[in-house]
Amino acid sequence: MNFKRDICILTQQDLVDASCFDMDAAVRVTEEALIAYANGDVIFPDKVSMVFDQATQDRINCLPAGFHSKKVYGMKWVSVFPDNPHSRNLPNLSATILLSEIESGFPIAFMEGTMCSNMRTAAVSSVAAKYLAVKEPKSIGFIGCGEQAKSHFLGMKAVFPSLKTCRVSSRTEASEKKFEEQLTRFAPDVEFVRCKGDYRAAVEGCDIIVTAISGQEKILQADWIHPGAFYCHVGGLEDDFGVARKADKIVTDHWAAVKHRTQTISQMYQQGLLSDEDIHADLFEIVTGQKPGRENDQEFTYYNGVGLSYVDVALSYWMYQKAVEKGIGTNIVMQDKSMFEI
């Protein structure tokens, strides 16, 4: 019996060296995954989540998914500890991904998953913006300047080359400065405006608004939003209930999952302030034309995602294939004989 099987170990540096840090490709892979889901190609079981602190929402999640056509099944193991940046000087998110082929069932890759997770979140939001934002947005405003905000900027810029102004606001001027310094090289044609912690100044009048904070605060207010704006809600509790009430369309990545979580619209649903009928669509329904996206330039559209594990698997499998093609990664034989022969 042949016990020998290789597994490819991929670090974040390996993935960067394999040119996987590519938001244009991530948006394409994401849109393809949403279509695959609509076509019944996706295996998408419930995630398992353990919350360790209800106040901070410190948690570790296990998110499995797979694709029949790709013959791959995977799992993202991700920790989200929102207070990390402020109390421990650590990132709030860390992740690893395990991929297996589903012909013989053996694992094929174990990889750093934080980059994939950040790119996936931003890519799904950017696909939502493609269908829900105005056709050629010029301005984007951020509340929050961390890894998710940066990834979202790159995703939105990949979808909308028309973006020329980016306003940013954060708890500290240092993080706003770092945001500008790190992203200017990716988008030299964009004017970055640091708002020195003034959240209203960062988003008021913007075509696209993104909130990506690690805390649980109702920061974004309805009267800051002008007709025609697209709002992307990334984290947990980031906006006042009045923002959702103002929306002409509310779209989620997967409403059946969102309504049981702790996001703004989840809390509204649980308090009886929002019903199933108030949700216009899940994103895949818009991508596949089952329901309309933006229908006029005056609509205020609201998007909220909690994460789709099958997009993580699609994106990580694309990364794995790209690394293998370039001969990047470390192949390790986990077992080459029966334990009774050792």
Side-chain angles (χ1 to χ4, degrees), residues 51-162:
V51 179
F52 302 101
D53 188 317
Q54 290 295 335
T56 63
Q57 286 295 297
D58 291 351
R59 58 198 183 275
I60 293 179
N61 301 326
C62 173
L63 298 96
F67 290 80
H68 294 290
S69 61
K70 300 177 189 293
K71 299 189 185 311
V72 65
Y73 193 77
M75 176 198 76
K76 182 173 75 171
W77 183 265
V78 56
S79 67
V80 184
F81 281 58
D83 199 43
N84 270 358
H86 314 297
S87 63
R88 304 178 185 91
N89 195 32
L90 292 170
N92 71 321
L93 183 146
S94 61
T96 55
I97 292 171
L98 177 66
L99 297 176
S100 293
E101 46 84 5
I102 54 175
E103 288 185 321
S104 64
F106 278 83
I108 56 175
F110 180 76
M111 53 202 294
E112 194 282 326
T114 307
M115 186 174 92
C116 177
S117 190
N118 283 332
M119 289 176 65
R120 182 269 302 159
T121 307
V124 178
S125 297
S126 300
V127 171
K130 176 180 175 179
Y131 292 90
L132 295 169
V134 292
K135 189 173 183 181
E136 292 188 343
K138 300 294 190 296
S139 57
I140 185 169
F142 286 88
I143 295 176
C145 289
E147 298 294 298
Q148 274 299 339
K150 295 168 190 173
S151 298
H152 273 72
F153 172 79
L154 294 178
M156 297 294 180
K157 183 63 173 170
V159 172
F160 298 116
S162 59

Side-chain angles (χ1 to χ4, degrees), residues 75-296:
M75 176 198 76
K76 182 173 75 171
W77 183 265
V78 56
S79 67
V80 184
F81 281 58
D83 199 43
N84 270 358
H86 314 297
S87 63
R88 304 178 185 91
N89 195 32
L90 292 170
N92 71 321
L93 183 146
S94 61
T96 55
I97 292 171
L98 177 66
L99 297 176
S100 293
E101 46 84 5
I102 54 175
E103 288 185 321
S104 64
F106 278 83
I108 56 175
F110 180 76
M111 53 202 294
E112 194 282 326
T114 307
M115 186 174 92
C116 177
S117 190
N118 283 332
M119 289 176 65
R120 182 269 302 159
T121 307
V124 178
S125 297
S126 300
V127 171
K130 176 180 175 179
Y131 292 90
L132 295 169
V134 292
K135 189 173 183 181
E136 292 188 343
K138 300 294 190 296
S139 57
I140 185 169
F142 286 88
I143 295 176
C145 289
E147 298 294 298
Q148 274 299 339
K150 295 168 190 173
S151 298
H152 273 72
F153 172 79
L154 294 178
M156 297 294 180
K157 183 63 173 170
V159 172
F160 298 116
S162 59
L163 287 171
K164 298 300 178 187
T165 302
C166 177
R167 298 188 220 152
V168 295
S169 59
S170 181
R171 293 182 182 182
T172 68
E173 290 188 43
S175 61
E176 293 179 11
K177 183 179 180 183
K178 180 179 285 188
F179 184 102
E180 179 182 6
E181 290 173 347
Q182 291 182 340
L183 293 178
T184 296
R185 69 186 179 95
F186 292 100
D189 62 327
V190 172
E191 177 190 10
F192 290 89
V193 180
R194 288 182 264 145
C195 295
K196 300 179 181 179
D198 187 335
Y199 298 132
R200 180 169 189 159
V203 302
E204 193 168 35
C206 283
D207 297 321
I208 297 175
I209 297 168
V210 180
T211 55
I213 62 172
S214 57
Q216 301 288 313
E217 303 174 64
K218 292 183 180 181
I219 293 177
L220 184 67
Q221 302 297 310
D223 61 356
W224 301 356
I225 299 167
H226 73 88
F230 165 71
Y231 168 46
C232 177
H233 177 119
V234 178
L237 184 64
E238 304 177 336
D239 56 315
D240 187 76
F241 288 177
V243 176
R245 291 194 188 100
K246 185 174 182 176
D248 296 294
K249 284 188 175 82
I250 299 175
V251 175
T252 67
D253 58 353
H254 194 70
W255 175 237
V258 172
K259 64 183 177 182
H260 299 299
R261 305 294 171 79
T262 60
Q263 280 82 0
T264 302
I265 59 174
S266 313
Q267 294 189 24
M268 292 177 70
Y269 174 80
Q270 291 154 17
Q271 294 176 30
L273 303 175
L274 201 67
S275 69
D276 293 332
E277 290 69 31
D278 293 318
I279 307 303
H280 172 64
D282 281 345
L283 182 56
F284 80 89
E285 295 177 297
I286 293 177
V287 170
T288 56
Q290 297 175 48
K291 293 185 179 179
R294 174 176 288 272
E295 296 180 273
N296 63 71

Side-chain angles (χ1 to χ4, degrees), residues 12-20 326 328:
Q12 187 175 99
Q13 188 62 56
D14 289 333
L15 298 173
V16 171
D17 291 344
S19 302
C20 295
K326 295 193 173 188
I328 292 173

